[in-house]
């Protein structure tokens, strides 16, 4: 089993920045990939970014590419999502997830999920 705990969400003005963190515990050696998803009210959960175990492979949704950066610190079992140039449409609950596959972009390929952290971007 793997447990994930997110933090770092909050309220920010448009154009601002936030950094989300996700700490993994448990059988983290079984997780080749970590990812971030988000879900806005009334919408389906959507992929934002993913990263491989060594950090050498990353993938981003077109909607966040160039503004968000995913990274990880394996010594701390932590994955980060640095979000810049935030827009009101980035408002959502952000979820950290862990997958046994290599950098998947579909939610169904992630076996473990955190509880989510709210990000609100005001205009």
């Amino acid at each position: 089993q793997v447990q994930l705990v997110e933090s770092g969400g909050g309220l920010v003005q448009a154009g601002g920045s936030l950094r989300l963190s996700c700490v993994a515990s448990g059988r983290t050696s079984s997780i080749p990939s970590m990812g971030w998803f988000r879900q806005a009210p009334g919408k389906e959960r959507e992929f934002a970014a993913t990263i491989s175990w060594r950090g050498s492979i990353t993938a981003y949704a077109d909607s966040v590419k160039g503004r968000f950066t995913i990274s990880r610190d394996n010594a701390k079992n932590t994955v980060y999502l640095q979000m810049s140039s935030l827009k009101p449409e980035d408002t959502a609950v952000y979820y950290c997830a862990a997958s046994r596959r290599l950098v998947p972009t579909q939610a169904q390929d992630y076996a473990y999920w955190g509880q989510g952290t709210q990000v609100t971007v005001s205009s």
Side-chain angles (χ1 to χ4, degrees), residues 22-73:
C22 173
V23 179
S25 60
R27 298 188 63 181
T28 57
S29 61
S30 66
I31 305 169
S33 302
M34 298 285 289
W36 287 96
F37 287 74
R38 64 186 186 181
Q39 188 167 17
K43 296 187 176 180
E44 294 187 353
R45 190 170 299 188
E46 66 173 7
F47 166 75
T50 183
I51 188 167
S52 61
W53 174 251
R54 296 185 182 276
S56 59
I57 304 173
T58 59
Y60 296 91
D62 288 343
S63 57
V64 308
K65 196 173 296 182
R67 300 187 299 120
F68 291 11
T69 301
I70 189 170
S71 62
R72 64 191 299 167
D73 183 339

Side-chain angles (χ1 to χ4, degrees), residues 26-120:
R27 298 188 63 181
T28 57
S29 61
S30 66
I31 305 169
S33 302
M34 298 285 289
W36 287 96
F37 287 74
R38 64 186 186 181
Q39 188 167 17
K43 296 187 176 180
E44 294 187 353
R45 190 170 299 188
E46 66 173 7
F47 166 75
T50 183
I51 188 167
S52 61
W53 174 251
R54 296 185 182 276
S56 59
I57 304 173
T58 59
Y60 296 91
D62 288 343
S63 57
V64 308
K65 196 173 296 182
R67 300 187 299 120
F68 291 11
T69 301
I70 189 170
S71 62
R72 64 191 299 167
D73 183 339
N74 290 336
K76 297 181 179 180
N77 285 333
T78 301
V79 64
Y80 304 97
L81 186 67
Q82 178 67 49
M83 305 184 295
S84 303
S85 300
L86 283 162
K87 306 174 182 180
E89 51 264 42
D90 294 317
T91 295
V93 176
Y94 283 71
Y95 296 91
C96 174
S99 175
R100 297 189 183 96
R101 298 191 174 189
L102 185 60
V103 292
T105 61
Q106 301 295 318
Q108 64 192 31
D109 292 323
Y110 285 80
Y112 304 101
W113 293 83
Q115 81 288 351
T117 185
Q118 177 71 47
V119 172
T120 303

